[in-house]
């Protein structure tokens, strides 16, 4: 079993919808949680960074961490076709090595 | 400021050959990490270099090696290529070594195909 599980999708939603992307993990030592976005033929870019449990909001993006359930989420409000990409969750514990989810391919239909 | 650059962008090799990939980090960044990305496994950590020293290594066979030069540029080498080495190899740079709040900036990757 992988340390971080993420549904690969694809997830297809109409423009303007609220998107929910999720990851579950098994290692309770993870303390730092990140979401990256990767466009085709590009490297990942950091979207959101959260420490421990709680919510963090940045524009249309909200990251949520529930350490008791070992579950993290990324919400995208008012989704746009330009949000179409692969979204990767990543997390790290005290050794600071990033452990990645497989990525969810998101398609926003105009 | 220029981003992370990787060369070449695409590479086709045959089994048994060796390959060298290059990464130039963002100016001023001294830490370089390498990852292998495949559809089934996602991103897997290969190794991290800081100030020409390997700080961490992932769970890959010894055929995978790397180095960092005094100007922070890094190379990774894969010897005796296998079909399963076909992947996107990503390089990421950051100001400081892996820590709580470091931010890694990724290059576009080198797409390696092994035939």
């Amino acid at each position: 079993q992988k340390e971080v599980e993420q549904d690969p999708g694809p997830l297809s939603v109409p423009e303007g919808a609220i998107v929910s992307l999720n990851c579950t993990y098994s290692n309770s030592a993870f303390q730092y949680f990140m979401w990256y976005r990767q466009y085709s033929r590009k490297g990942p870019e950091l979207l959101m960074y959260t420490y421990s449990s709680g919510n963090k909001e940045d524009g249309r993006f909200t990251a949520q961490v529930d350490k008791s359930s070992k579950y993290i989420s990324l919400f995208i409000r008012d989704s746009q076709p330009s949000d179409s990409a692969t979204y990767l969750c990543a997390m790290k514990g005290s050794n600071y090595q990033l452990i990645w989810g497989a990525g969810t391919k998101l398609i926003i239909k105009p | 400021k220029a981003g992370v650059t990787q060369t070449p962008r695409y590479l086709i090799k045959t089994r048994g050959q060796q390959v060298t990939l290059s990464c130039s980090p963002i100016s001023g960044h001294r830490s370089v990490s390498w990852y292998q990305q495949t559809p089934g496994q996602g991103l897997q950590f290969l190794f991290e270099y800081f100030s020409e020293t390997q700080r961490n290594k992932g769970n890959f066979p010894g055929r995978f090696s790397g180095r960092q030069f005094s100007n922070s540029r890094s190379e990774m080498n894969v010897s005796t290529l296998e079909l399963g080495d076909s992947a996107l190899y990503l390089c990421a740079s950051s100001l400081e070594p892996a820590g709580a709040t470091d931010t890694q900036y990724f290059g576009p990757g080198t797409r390696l195909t092994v035939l």
Side-chain angles (χ1 to χ4, degrees):
Chain A
Q1 187 184 0
K2 293 181 180 178
E3 280 190 284
V4 180
E5 298 280 358
Q6 185 177 11
D7 187 333
L11 175 63
S12 183
V13 301
E15 182 177 354
I18 295 175
V19 174
S20 172
L21 302 165
N22 311 293
C23 288
T24 59
Y25 62 95
S26 56
N27 190 341
S28 57
F30 289 146
Q31 301 175 64
Y32 308 94
F33 304 91
M34 284 136 281
W35 286 96
Y36 284 79
R37 177 175 63 196
Q38 185 175 21
Y39 291 114
S40 180
R41 287 186 290 276
K42 300 274 190 180
E45 58 176 328
L46 181 65
L47 271 179
M48 302 287 283
Y49 185 108
T50 310
Y51 170 68
S52 195
S53 284
N55 292 1
K56 185 173 183 179
E57 190 173 317
D58 184 1
R60 298 184 294 112
F61 298 88
T62 299
Q64 206 169 71
V65 174
D66 182 348
K67 290 189 70 178
S68 62
S69 303
K70 298 191 181 69
Y71 188 89
I72 69 171
S73 300
L74 177 71
F75 298 96
I76 307 174
R77 292 184 299 280
D78 187 25
S79 55
Q80 305 294 313
S82 59
D83 294 327
S84 297
T86 296
Y87 289 80
L88 301 136
C89 64
M91 44 200 80
K92 52 184 172 180
S94 55
N95 69 355
Y96 303 127
Q97 286 308 309
L98 279 171
I99 307 298
W100 296 79
T104 298
K105 184 173 183 178
L106 174 65
I107 300 168
I108 308 297
K109 298 177 293 185
Chain B
K1 190 183 271 190
V4 178
T5 57
Q6 292 186 246
T7 56
R9 291 292 311 276
Y10 301 92
L11 207 48
I12 299 175
K13 292 284 188 179
T14 55
R15 278 183 300 173
Q17 288 188 308
Q18 76 163 22
V19 67
T20 298
L21 311 181
S22 181
C23 171
S24 292
I26 292 172
S27 177
H29 285 196
R30 298 186 297 164
S31 177
V32 172
S33 296
W34 287 90
Y35 295 87
Q36 182 194 67
Q37 186 176 28
T38 57
Q41 297 295 320
L43 270 89
Q44 293 186 285
F45 171 73
L46 281 156
F47 23 67
E48 177 196 5
Y49 287 88
F50 180 77
S51 293
E52 302 178 68
T53 302
Q54 187 181 89
R55 293 188 76 248
N56 283 298
K57 190 177 192 303
N59 189 24
F60 278 82
R63 301 185 296 108
F64 292 81
S65 62
R67 59 178 175 167
Q68 186 180 34
F69 302 95
S70 58
N71 61 358
S72 295
R73 190 177 69 86
S74 178
E75 288 181 348
M76 67 162 281
N77 185 276
V78 189
S79 62
T80 319
L81 284 166
E82 301 177 359
L83 294 178
D85 296 334
S86 294
L88 181 68
Y89 290 88
L90 290 160
C91 167
S93 77
S94 59
L95 278 168
E96 296 297 331
T101 58
D102 65 295
T103 299
Q104 294 191 339
Y105 297 85
F106 283 83
T110 293
R111 172 76 61 186
L112 172 65
T113 303
V114 182
L115 302 175

